[in-house]
């Protein structure tokens, strides 16, 4: 129970310090503007085509229009692009800021274990992240209210976003743990996220086992299934593995600091 | 440990990492990688050599022990996670939560997969190696059966497999291989893949003989517009065996013929050839006959006793040309089809013909004729050929047949004259087209011409509908929004909500000041 309390205390402290900083609101409003803009444009294009096809009176053309493939799926993919930009900003100060200010000594000499510290920081980031995802729910709420998209597919995509975001958060926690400079933490987080996002492009020119491995570790490939409405156990296991290993590396960094 | 020797240690680590990165891009044995590895190794050796005493002390220290434990535990964790991932890849499990069960195989497909006794490997050949929706389909089969595995192949890289499976063209192809047998699927639908699995279970390719020596289209000619190599290639991709037939030399239609095709014959069939073809039909043979105005009399003796006539006429139809409005032309466009297994998948598709004639038929006992393809109502079959070709004039009059006129028919049954003929074995099937150009290199790839050709041969050879799986489609969206609603959404999502957050941030900043 102590462990849970410690993790909760760390997480709560981190969430408070995040929202006390004005940067949090810049990040959140930037996220809201970008995702809202993407959604609005996709919806507008769909409605425009729908109106045009309706005027032609051709049911076959109308049958090709689908809000799932023309609005929901592209929006879900666009959100991931925004996350790659936002996550470095959210995670950069997690541990790097503590080291810069010198408060890491206080933290590391406390009775709280490094694992609890890392988990607390991670849960704080995930809480903020879930808040960001909740900001996007009105988009799909409108579609469900006015139309007939598949709820299962929307929820599946959110599950994918949550899991992939968890992996992003674990990577960001690690990059923040290995440096005291927030900019270095942010940039290295961005580079790693972008690499695992686009590693699938490299698989096109690879063959055999190399191609299989590259395709397997590609975040976008794993996420695509969720967006399509397929909940594949291997994708869940992969993202959870990334989270576990990223958090372990973060813990290992703190252990190394503590032992010094 | 002096600063300089420490620098060697750092440089060594950096060069080794750079060597690792460059090996990934250009290979371990590239000179660029080798230089980095070598320099890194040298720097590390220098560092180790000049700091042995300090390193001994360090390794005995608490921090080093901690690092070692962390490294060992980390490796163990990594191996465990990799093993977990390998396990779920080998034992796949997924849940389809789509509204329309788009990623769930039909019961028929699952039954066919359940009957598999030997491993089946599906190779998806797609340029670039990125299969997209095709991979999704094959993955469903992979997940549903331990004996079905699939892999995506880039035909531009893996030429061995392209040669082994005799592939041609750029279209995506799935090859299903079981042991030494393989079949190909061009149409990427669940129905086609499952049908191919059934074929792989059961047997041999269907053999189609193409009659030669009468000026028919050349199956090996892909250079001229009047060759038929495109058609032949497509049929081979559909798992037909395509063989030329010199009936004069062989004397009879081979016993293993699943169908015979007469494609655009321009010279008279010999009486003995006609006799052999009629005998073939009497014993339940299958024939595709495609002829053209001016040449129908060379081949129409094959159709005697069936009550079907290829009329000496040319179909005239209105054609729309850009910037020129409607004009009369000799290329009828067909979008109306009869009720028949050949035409059933064609509903909504269009086929185009060049200089076609019209077909008429009368009732004959034991023979059933279905009109397959009809021209538009504005078309007619012009019978005054002399006026058409010599004076380039046409006009609908009483001798002509007003549209819609049929230019293709399907026939089942055969009426043999006399009572001394041997009894019928099986039921003959014929498909007769009053145009052959639509199957030439120039036109077979246009619109749905190839689909019509393949459907016809599938029906003739009995390949159609052991398997009938409706293609899945998404529920049609009924989302409608007014302009006001769109404006409200824009203000709320793009302006008001983010603006509120920004103002909140401003307030927080002010309070902190």
């Amino acid at each position: 129970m102590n462990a849970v309390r410690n993790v909760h205390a760390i997480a709560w402290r981190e969430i408070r310090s995040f929202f006390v900083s004005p940067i949090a609101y810049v990040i959140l409003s930037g996220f809201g503007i970008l995702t809202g803009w993407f959604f609005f444009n996709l919806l507008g294009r769909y409605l425009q085509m729908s109106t045009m096809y309706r005027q032609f009176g051709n049911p076959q053309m109308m049958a090709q229009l689908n809000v799932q493939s023309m609005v929901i799926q592209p929006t879900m993919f666009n959100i991931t692009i925004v996350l790659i930009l936002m996550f470095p900003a959210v995670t950069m100060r997690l541990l790097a800021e503590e080291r810069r200010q010198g408060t890491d000594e206080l933290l590391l000499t406390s009775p709280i274990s490094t694992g609890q510290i890392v988990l607390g920081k991670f849960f704080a980031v995930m809480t903020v992240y879930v808040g960001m995802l909740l900001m996007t729910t009105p988009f799909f709420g409108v579609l469900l209210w006015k139309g007939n998209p598949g709820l299962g597919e929307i929820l599946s995509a959110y599950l994918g976003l949550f899991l992939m975001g968890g992996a992003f958060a674990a990577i960001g926690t690690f990059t923040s743990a290995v440096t005291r400079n927030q900019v270095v933490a942010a940039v290295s987080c961005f580079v790693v996220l972008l690499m695992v996002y686009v590693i699938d492009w490299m698989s096109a020119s690879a063959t055999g086992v190399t191609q299989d491995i590259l395709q397997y570790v590609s975040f976008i490939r794993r996420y695509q299934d969720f967006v399509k409405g397929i909940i594949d156990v291997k994708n869940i296991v992969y993202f959870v593995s990334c989270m576990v290993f990223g958090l372990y590396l973060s813990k290992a960094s703190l252990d190394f600091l503590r032992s010094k | 440990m002096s600063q300089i020797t420490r620098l060697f240690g750092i440089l060594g680590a950096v060069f080794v990492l750079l060597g690792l990165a460059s090996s990934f891009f250009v290979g371990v044995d590239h000179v660029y990688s080798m230089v980095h590895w070598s320099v890194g190794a040298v720097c590390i050796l220098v560092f180790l050599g000049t700091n042995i005493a300090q390193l001994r002390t360090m390794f005995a220290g608490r921090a080093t022990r901690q690092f070692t434990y962390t490294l060992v535990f980390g490796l163990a964790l990594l191996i465990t996670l990799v093993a977990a991932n390998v396990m779920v890849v080998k034992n796949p499990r997924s849940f389809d939560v789509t509204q329309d069960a788009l990623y769930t195989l039909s019961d028929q497909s699952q039954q066919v997969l359940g009957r598999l006794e030997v491993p089946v490997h599906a190779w998806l050949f797609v340029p670039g190696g990125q299969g997209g929706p095709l991979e999704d389909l094959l993955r469903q089969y992979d997940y549903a059966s331990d004996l079905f595995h699939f892999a995506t192949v880039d035909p531009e890289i893996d030429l061995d497999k392209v040669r082994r499976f005799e592939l041609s063209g750029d279209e995506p192809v799935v090859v299903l291989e079981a042991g030494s047998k393989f079949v190909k699927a061009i149409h990427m639908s669940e129905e086609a893949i499952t049908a191919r699995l059934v074929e792989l279970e059961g047997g041999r390719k269907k053999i189609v003989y193409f009659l030669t020596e009468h000026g028919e289209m050349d199956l090996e000619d892909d250079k001229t517009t009047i060759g038929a190599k495109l058609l032949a290639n497509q049929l081979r991709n559909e798992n037909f065996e395509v063989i030329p037939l010199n009936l004069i030399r062989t004397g009879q239609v081979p016993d293993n013929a699943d169908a015979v095709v007469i494609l655009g014959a321009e010279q008279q069939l010999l009486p003995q050839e006609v006799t052999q073809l009629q005998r073939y039909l009497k014993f339940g043979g299958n024939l595709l006959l495609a002829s053209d105005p001016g040449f129908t009399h060379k081949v129409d003796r094959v159709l005697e006793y069936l009550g079907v006539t290829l009329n000496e006429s040319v179909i005239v139809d209105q054609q729309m040309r850009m910037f020129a409005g409607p004009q009369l032309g000799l290329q009828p466009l067909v979008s109306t089809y009869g009720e028949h297994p050949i035409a059933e998948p064609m509903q909504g598709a269009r086929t185009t013909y060049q200089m076609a004639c019209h077909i008429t038929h009368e009732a004959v006992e034991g023979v059933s004729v279905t009109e397959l393809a009809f021209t538009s109502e504005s078309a007619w079959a012009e019978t005054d050929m002399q006026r058409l070709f010599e004076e380039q004039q046409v006009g609908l009059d009483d001798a002509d047949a007003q549209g819609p006129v049929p230019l293709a028919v399907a026939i089942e049954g055969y009426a043999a004259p006399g009572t001394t003929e041997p009894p019928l074995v099986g039921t003959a099937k014929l498909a007769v087209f009053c145009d052959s150009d639509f199957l030439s290199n120039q036109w077979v790839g246009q619109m749905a011409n190839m689909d019509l050709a393949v459907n016809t041969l599938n029906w003739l050879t009995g390949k159609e509908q052991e398997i009938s799986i409706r293609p899945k489609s998404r529920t049609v969206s009924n989302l409608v929004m007014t302009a006001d609603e769109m404006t409200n959404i824009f203000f709320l999502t793009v302006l008001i909500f983010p603006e509120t957050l920004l103002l909140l941030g401003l307030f927080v900043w002010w309070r902190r000041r």
Side-chain angles (χ1 to χ4, degrees), chain A residues 12-242:
Chain A
W12 181 237
R13 175 176 164 265
E14 193 61 39
I15 292 170
R16 273 181 54 200
S17 77
F18 180 75
F19 282 104
V20 154
S21 160
I23 293 176
Y25 301 92
V26 174
I27 292 171
L28 292 175
S29 63
F31 179 79
I33 288 173
L34 286 171
T35 52
W37 179 245
F38 287 142
F39 171 74
F40 177 77
N41 273 285
L42 287 164
L43 180 62
R45 189 169 69 106
Y46 167 82
L47 290 171
Q48 196 177 31
M49 289 179 72
S50 169
T51 307
M52 203 164 64
Y53 286 2
R54 204 170 280 119
Q55 280 169 358
F56 288 155
N58 187 327
Q60 280 177 329
M61 288 168 82
M62 284 296 300
Q64 289 170 22
L65 287 181
N66 184 276
V67 75
Q68 194 75 37
S69 53
M70 291 184 69
V71 180
I72 296 174
Q73 287 181 359
T75 302
M76 291 297 188
F77 280 113
N78 290 337
I79 289 175
T80 63
I81 304 295
V82 179
L83 291 178
I84 289 176
L85 299 171
M86 296 293 170
F87 254 101
V90 172
T91 59
M92 67 183 181
R93 56 188 302 280
L94 275 182
L95 289 159
E97 180 70 3
E98 306 263 12
R99 290 177 69 181
R100 191 185 69 84
Q101 288 182 348
T103 52
D104 60 324
E105 275 194 44
L106 200 64
L107 201 56
L108 292 173
T109 51
S110 71
I112 301 176
S113 72
T114 51
Q116 289 163 10
I117 295 170
V118 165
L119 274 177
K121 301 280 186 183
F122 175 73
F123 285 141
V125 171
M126 289 304 287
T127 306
V128 170
Y129 176 53
V130 168
M132 286 161 74
L133 289 185
L134 286 172
M135 281 168 57
T136 64
T137 52
F139 307 156
F140 307 107
V142 164
L143 297 181
L144 285 165
W145 172 45
K146 299 293 289 183
N148 59 343
L151 178 62
E153 283 142 288
I154 294 173
L155 293 175
S156 166
Y158 269 116
L159 176 63
L161 273 177
F162 177 77
L163 290 170
M164 192 164 72
F168 282 2
I171 291 169
T173 307
F174 171 62
T175 57
S176 183
V178 295
T179 177
R180 66 180 67 224
N181 187 311
Q182 288 187 49
V183 174
V184 169
V187 170
S188 48
C189 178
F190 176 73
V191 168
V192 173
L193 293 187
L194 202 56
M195 279 209 65
V196 290
Y197 196 79
V198 303
I199 203 165
D200 191 45
W201 296 353
M202 285 192 248
S203 72
S205 49
T207 56
V209 175
T210 311
Q211 186 185 53
D212 292 341
I213 292 174
L214 288 176
Q215 286 178 350
Y216 189 79
V217 301
S218 161
F219 276 26
I220 194 65
R221 275 215 175 218
R222 303 276 73 79
Y223 176 61
Q224 263 172 1
D225 285 345
F226 287 105
V227 174
K228 282 188 270 196
I230 305 170
I231 298 178
D232 194 328
V233 171
K234 79 169 185 282
N235 297 331
I236 297 174
V237 168
Y238 175 71
F239 281 131
V240 169
S241 303
C242 289

Side-chain angles (χ1 to χ4, degrees), chain B residues 272-302:
Chain B
Q272 56 266 43
E273 289 179 301
V274 172
T275 304
Q276 286 307 315
L277 287 168
Q278 287 177 336
R279 183 175 178 278
Y280 170 67
L281 289 171
K282 261 191 317 213
F283 283 92
N286 306 303
L287 177 73
L288 191 163
L289 172 64
S291 186
D292 298 293
F295 298 101
T296 55
H297 62 283
K298 309 284 187 186
V299 296
D300 61 1
R301 272 203 60 207
V302 178

Side-chain angles (χ1 to χ4, degrees), chain A residues 20 25 29 33 40 46-47 66-67 73 139 146 148 153 216 221 228-229 231-234 241 248 252, chain B residues 70 73-74 85 93-95 97-99 130 136 143 474-478 485-486 498 501-502 508 512:
Chain A
V20 154
Y25 301 92
S29 63
I33 288 173
F40 177 77
Y46 167 82
L47 290 171
N66 184 276
V67 75
Q73 287 181 359
F139 307 156
K146 299 293 289 183
N148 59 343
E153 283 142 288
Y216 189 79
R221 275 215 175 218
K228 282 188 270 196
I231 298 178
D232 194 328
V233 171
K234 79 169 185 282
S241 303
Y248 175 75
Chain B
T70 304
F73 189 80
N85 278 270
R93 190 98 172 89
S94 67
F95 304 93
V97 297
T98 58
Q99 196 178 21
Q130 305 289 326
D136 291 338
Y143 279 19
R474 288 190 178 273
T475 304
V476 176
S477 300
N478 63 4
E485 285 170 335
M486 280 297 288
L501 286 168
L502 271 177
V508 165
R512 284 189 72 187

